[in-house]
């Protein structure tokens, strides 16, 4: 008798675990501008579309249709998702700096942007910065590959000289192969003589 | 200095191949709290800020853990405590029109903010749970597995 009770006990534990709820709650969130996009929640049982901020639907099992959308209070969204929301990274920020033809010397205008870049790195405490160097198509492809790298390295050095940790900076050259404006070979194009800095 | 440039210029010749290879990183860990780990080919390593993420990695958090990732296409993803998510798909070659990002939440909670792949091709963004598929028309949403929720019938 005792054995039977124990057996039934373990059986019910097993059943509880194997039927552990896998039901899914989906909530549409407003983006940084306060607008909400749209998500479509689909199970084998049916489909629901969420279109308003904080609208939610629940799928209780794979073969059951998602519930009719309801709008959750913001406090409730924070209660359920607060820790995950806190862990969401900020979108990367990009800067473009331009150079004097054939050199790794910044234009006067771009030089003035350096303090803002340093400020962004500091505020974000970023340890994942990438600098991609580019050139226009004046000169050979090989030389431009090197010039692109020199540009990227010169910006890295400038950041490091202001106290940015070099181990968090990645540097690469795309040479003349990744222009922002397409040109014929040997055409000077100021907009292509650039580095792109991504701060994550 | 010149040899470095040559290495880079050589590397750039192979760059398209690196881009497509499934062993190229697809993103990196950007935020971290408490216990969190990365499961890659059955190897479990503690997560660290700046650590690269690869396709088919599983990201896991403990009871006090949370973790945020930035993907190569600027998609942002975070998971809350006691969560597990698999990066099942990632292709980002806009020039060739090869775009896809797939994630599968197995337990816990996640926040998702679509990046460039979502802007270029809505149908290329997939988010799965054990009972549902989520199609994304933009841009930010939250998913939780398991908990009963007051407010939803």
């Amino acid at each position: 008798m005792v054995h039977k009770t124990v057996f039934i006990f373990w059986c019910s534990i097993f059943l509880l675990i194997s039927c552990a709820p896998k039901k899914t709650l989906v909530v549409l969130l407003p983006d940084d501008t306060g607008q909400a996009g749209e998500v479509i929640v689909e199970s084998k049982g049916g489909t629901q579309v969420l279109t308003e901020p904080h609208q939610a639907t629940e799928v209780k099992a794979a073969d059951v249709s998602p519930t009719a959308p309801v709008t959750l209070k913001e406090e409730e969204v924070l209660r359920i998702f607060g820790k995950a929301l806190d862990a969401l990274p900020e979108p990367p920020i990009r800067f473009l700096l331009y150079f004097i033809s054939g050199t790794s010397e910044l234009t006067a205008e771009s030089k003035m942007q350096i303090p803002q870049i340093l400020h962004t790195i500091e505020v974000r405490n970023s340890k994942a910065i990438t600098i991609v160097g580019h050139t226009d198509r004046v000169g050979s492809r090989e030389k431009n590959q090197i010039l692109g790298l020199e540009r990227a390295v010169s910006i890295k050095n400038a950041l490091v000289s202001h106290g940015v940790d070099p181990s968090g900076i990645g540097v690469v050259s795309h040479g003349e192969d990744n222009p922002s404006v397409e040109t014929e070979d040997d055409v000077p194009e100021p907009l292509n003589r650039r580095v792109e800095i991504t701060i994550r | 200095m010149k040899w470095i440039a040559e290495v880079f210029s050589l590397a750039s010749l192979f760059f398209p191949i690196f881009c497509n290879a499934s062993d190229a990183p697809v993103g990196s860990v950007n935020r971290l709290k408490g216990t969190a780990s990365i499961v890659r080919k059955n190897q479990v390593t503690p997560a660290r800020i700046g650590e690269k993420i690869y396709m088919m990695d599983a990201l896991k958090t403990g009871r006090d853990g949370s973790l945020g990732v930035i993907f190569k296409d600027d998609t942002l993803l975070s998971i809350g405590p006691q969560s597990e998510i698999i990066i099942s798909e990632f292709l980002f070659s806009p020039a060739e029109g090869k775009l896809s990002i797939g994630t599968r939440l197995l337990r816990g909670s996640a926040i998702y903010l679509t990046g460039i792949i979502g802007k270029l091709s809505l149908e290329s963004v997939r988010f799965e749970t054990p009972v549902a598929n989520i199609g994304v028309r933009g841009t930010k949403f939250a998913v939780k597995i398991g908990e009963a929720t007051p407010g939803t019938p």
Side-chain angles (χ1 to χ4, degrees), chain B residues 109-129:
Chain B
S109 55
I111 310 291
Y112 195 98
L113 179 62
T114 52
I116 298 168
I117 294 175
K119 280 197 191 91
L120 295 176
S121 165
L122 293 169
E123 60 275 21
S124 301
V125 181
R126 262 184 295 276
F127 192 106
E128 296 172 359
T129 80

Side-chain angles (χ1 to χ4, degrees), chain A residues 22-27 29 37-40 42 58 60 70 76 79-81 84 86-89 94 145-146 171, chain B residues 5 9 30-31 68 74 76 78 106 129 131-135 137-138 140-147 150-151 153:
Chain A
K22 287 291 183 191
K23 63 181 177 183
T24 296
L25 172 74
V26 183
V27 187
L29 300 175
E38 190 174 305
V39 296
I40 297 158
E42 192 182 29
E58 196 169 42
K60 294 196 158 92
V70 291
E76 191 144 37
R79 182 185 68 77
I80 303 169
F81 293 104
D86 283 345
L88 192 70
R94 296 207 162 79
Q145 192 63 40
I146 295 163
V171 169
Chain B
S9 113
N30 188 262
R31 288 202 180 178
D74 294 357
L76 307 178
S78 63
L106 302 181
T129 80
V131 298
N133 286 320
I134 299 162
R137 299 274 176 275
K140 193 175 181 182
F141 61 94
V143 184
K144 171 125 188 165
I145 294 174
E147 195 192 349

